[in-house]
Amino acid sequence: MMEQLEKVVQEQEDIFHKIQHHEQVMFCNDPETGLRAIIAIHDTTLGPALGGTRMYPYESVDDALEDVLRLSEGMTYKCAAADLDFGGGKAVIIGDPAKDKSPALFRAFGQYVDSLNGRFFTGTDMGTTMDDFVEALKETDYINGIPESYGGGGDTSIPTAQGVVYALEATNQFLFGHKELGSNTYAIQGLGKVGFKVAEHLLQAGADLFVTDINEAVIQKIKQIGAELNRTVTAVTSADIYSVPAHIFIPCAMGGIINEQTVQELQVKAIVGSANNQLASENLIHVLQQKGILYAPDYIVNAGGLIQVADELYGANKERVLLKTKAIYHSLLEIYEEAEQLNITTVDAAYRKCKKTMEKQKHRNNFYAYARRPKWNFHVR
Ligand code: NAD
């Protein structure tokens, strides 16, 4: 009996140890709809927590907890880096998106989100779609990233691609002393929603491209645009994209592509892309630095979509979003310069920048506490 009690106490201690860096973690259990979810709020220094809801058939509750804790912490830095009035949060629903979804499940989830009374705003992520959140929206206002027909900003790939373009300009400015895009060549991995728009923009600016995609149709489409603009578009295999003689590599497909092998193949001067978690492991940033390859931290480069989602709070406005996205240019340039001055990696410089923003806001939040509160209590829609 005593042993069992000690075990329970130890288990509780373990859980609190795991969530020690988080403000709040909420377990949601609704047997009627089969909803099993965890909402994690990491830090609300900058404002209410913001982060998507992922649905995945986690093997255990522990796996789901680990994922939601890691992702919500990441959101704190993403929001700080983009200078948003939001903190970091994330939710995970334990289940198979192909089998376990129902409108009732997402309405139940919406009720849990609503019970947090504006401390957590969420929307789509891996495994969830806008249709799912149209259901959740029936129960709560605290949903972002919704379709234009429901008053949202719609497709986030437009500001995300625009942000990549600003990041490329900042990189050219830092490395070559000018921000013109046309004088360099680029290697683009993935011509999907983001990569294709970036490729089109670069061709229009007068650049030549190396491209790769597993979808042959998009390769043909970009080649045709290249031909019309009198530019060279060279299609290569998925394996060859790392070793092409381009100035900048633009990963816009999947994460983990910079690994022990590919890092050795790279010929480029910089990596600037939208793909999340590009480095397969943390130590690779040092290898890149030793090779003299400038790395633009992915969450700084791909912030455009998040900027749009956060901006919905003021009512959707595409022009305002694109204007805000422009800040990526200055933000990235600042990170490059600080990394150079302090002889640290760009990943460390980006982290320092986020921490500084949060420190400043901590002070300001206290000062403006009363002025700020009503704004967050009044959700416009
Ligand atoms: P997408 O699915 O529209 O495009 C991905 C493209 O990569 C597709 O054309 C696909 O065929 C291609 N691809 C897949 N595997 C490949 C491989 N092995 N080699 C070459 N090409 C391959 O996705 P997207 O919306 O364009 O996003 C691209 C990346 O940017 C993703 O990593 C995404 O997480 C990230 N991102 C996107 C947004 C956004 O607003 N869409 C925001 C932030 C981050």
Side-chain angles (χ1 to χ4, degrees):
M1 182 68 182
M2 202 56 196
E3 249 174 43
Q4 255 179 334
L5 197 65
E6 275 171 15
K7 197 172 160 232
V8 169
V9 170
Q10 189 54 48
E11 276 171 5
Q12 286 173 352
E13 283 300 321
D14 288 349
I15 286 184
F16 273 100
H17 181 73
K18 272 186 193 159
I19 66 169
Q20 63 179 323
H21 300 300
H22 285 69
E23 284 180 18
Q24 188 176 2
V25 177
M26 179 172 162
F27 285 77
C28 317
N29 184 39
D30 185 49
E32 222 163 90
T33 60
L35 174 74
R36 291 173 85 213
I38 311 174
I39 298 173
I41 295 178
H42 176 250
D43 190 301
T44 58
T45 306
L46 298 179
L50 172 69
T53 297
R54 183 168 280 199
M55 185 166 186
Y56 188 77
Y58 293 98
E59 279 187 10
S60 68
V61 174
D62 239 22
D63 286 356
L65 181 62
E66 203 173 298
D67 208 26
V68 78
L69 293 179
R70 182 180 59 84
L71 294 166
S72 56
E73 182 174 355
M75 286 308 298
T76 297
Y77 305 121
K78 278 190 176 193
C79 289
D83 220 359
L84 304 176
D85 294 333
F86 279 97
K90 201 87 182 182
V92 293
I93 296 176
I94 303 169
D96 184 342
K99 291 197 303 227
D100 300 328
K101 277 186 183 179
S102 69
L105 182 140
F106 279 92
R107 286 190 75 150
F109 180 67
Q111 287 182 354
Y112 280 105
V113 172
D114 202 60
S115 74
L116 288 164
N117 205 19
R119 269 176 60 72
F120 175 60
F121 285 69
T122 193
T124 60
D125 197 86
M126 203 173 85
T128 57
T129 65
M130 283 193 181
D131 285 345
D132 300 330
F133 281 92
V134 165
E135 293 302 325
L137 197 59
K138 292 174 185 168
E139 304 292 340
T140 181
D141 276 346
Y142 304 119
I143 302 292
N144 303 55
I146 52 172
E148 282 178 274
S149 52
Y150 282 82
D155 185 2
T156 55
S157 70
I158 298 166
T160 302
Q162 188 60 47
V164 176
V165 169
Y166 288 132
L168 289 168
E169 288 182 348
T171 306
N172 280 354
Q173 180 67 43
F174 183 75
L175 286 179
F176 309 111
H178 63 81
K179 59 180 193 174
E180 282 77 50
L181 297 168
S183 51
N184 283 336
T185 49
Y186 304 86
I188 309 185
Q189 181 181 50
L191 294 167
K193 293 186 290 295
V194 177
F196 197 89
K197 292 183 186 75
V198 174
E200 253 187 318
H201 188 101
L202 291 172
L203 290 174
Q204 277 157 6
D208 291 333
L209 307 179
F210 293 94
V211 295
T212 190
D213 197 294
I214 49 173
N215 177 358
E216 185 54 29
V218 287
I219 297 276
Q220 290 315 322
K221 213 168 140 192
I222 204 70
K223 275 190 142 189
Q224 196 184 330
I225 295 173
E228 283 162 14
L229 292 167
N230 233 349
R231 303 311 325 159
T232 308
V233 177
T234 311
V236 300
T237 64
S238 289
D240 287 344
I241 195 71
Y242 303 101
S243 55
V244 294
H247 291 96
I248 300 181
F249 177 41
I250 310 179
C252 289
M254 58 281 171
I257 36 92
I258 308 293
N259 57 37
E260 298 291 347
Q261 188 202 323
T262 57
V263 76
Q264 299 306 337
E265 296 173 17
L266 291 169
Q267 311 278 327
V268 291
K269 299 251 174 290
I271 302 171
V272 184
S274 73
N276 281 311
N277 308 318
Q278 290 163 25
L279 304 181
S281 67
E282 281 176 17
N283 72 312
L284 287 163
I285 184 65
H286 299 289
V287 184
L288 287 172
Q289 202 181 22
Q290 278 155 17
K291 283 192 67 156
I293 299 174
L294 186 65
Y295 176 69
D298 43 22
Y299 67 99
I300 307 290
V301 177
N302 70 22
L306 185 64
I307 290 170
Q308 170 166 302
V309 163
D311 186 79
E312 272 183 19
L313 193 79
Y314 308 101
N317 183 311
K318 288 184 197 304
E319 278 174 28
R320 189 176 59 223
V321 169
L322 287 184
L323 210 66
K324 286 186 179 180
T325 303
K326 223 177 190 165
I328 291 175
Y329 174 87
H330 296 287
S331 187
L332 190 57
L333 208 50
E334 230 178 271
I335 288 166
Y336 288 157
E337 282 162 1
E338 175 146 314
E340 188 180 52
Q341 276 159 20
L342 301 180
N343 195 23
I344 57 176
T345 67
T346 49
V347 168
D348 286 341
Y351 181 71
R352 278 171 63 96
K353 185 172 158 43
C354 298
K355 279 287 184 194
K356 255 191 254 169
T357 304
M358 287 169 69
E359 275 307 313
K360 264 193 243 160
Q361 282 298 111
K362 232 179 223 170
H363 178 69
R364 204 192 285 171
N365 266 358
N366 294 339
F367 189 70
Y368 288 116
Y370 291 101
R372 284 168 61 84
R373 243 172 232 148
K375 193 163 91 187
W376 294 120
N377 285 345
F378 177 67
H379 185 229
V380 206
R381 193 171 294 135

